[in-house]
Amino acid sequence: MKLTLLFREYCSLCHRMRDRLHVFQTAYGFDLDIIDIDDFPDLEQQYNEKVPVLLHGAHEICHWHLDEAALLAYLGQAGGTAGRGT
């Protein structure tokens, strides 16, 4: 499974979410792409005020703060696909 974190380098909330995600990444084996939305005008327009945003494909798992319950529920729904690059 590959999750995406929409991120800004100067954003302290972004750094906090990224750092907290590493614990879950180690435990659950998902890949994490980190995308600086300021490099992508379409993403910046869509998510500007919500950053940081954690996504799986087009599905938004959470924004602003890591919602651990939502992440765990989503990982549980994904079941055995974690770590398989889906």
Side-chain angles (χ1 to χ4, degrees):
M1 170 185 291
K2 185 181 294 186
L3 302 182
T4 302
L5 177 61
L6 302 180
F7 185 88
R8 284 191 164 113
E9 189 58 44
Y10 59 85
C11 168
S12 63
L13 290 177
C14 296
H15 285 268
R16 190 172 305 131
M17 187 182 289
R18 180 198 60 199
D19 294 347
R20 290 184 61 206
L21 278 168
H22 286 305
V23 173
F24 291 93
Q25 189 177 13
T26 300
Y28 291 90
F30 57 84
D31 293 324
L32 183 64
D33 282 341
I34 299 174
I35 297 176
D36 189 329
I37 70 161
D38 293 324
D39 294 336
F40 298 91
D42 56 327
L43 292 175
E44 184 178 18
Q45 183 177 359
Q46 184 175 358
Y47 293 104
N48 187 41
E49 297 298 322
K50 293 176 97 176
V51 171
V53 180
L54 182 62
L55 302 168
H56 179 237
H59 176 80
E60 182 180 318
I61 298 170
C62 58
H63 64 272
W64 294 330
H65 302 281
L66 181 60
D67 183 337
E68 293 180 10
L71 176 59
L72 290 172
Y74 193 79
L75 291 171
Q77 290 174 0
T81 63
R84 294 187 190 165
T86 57

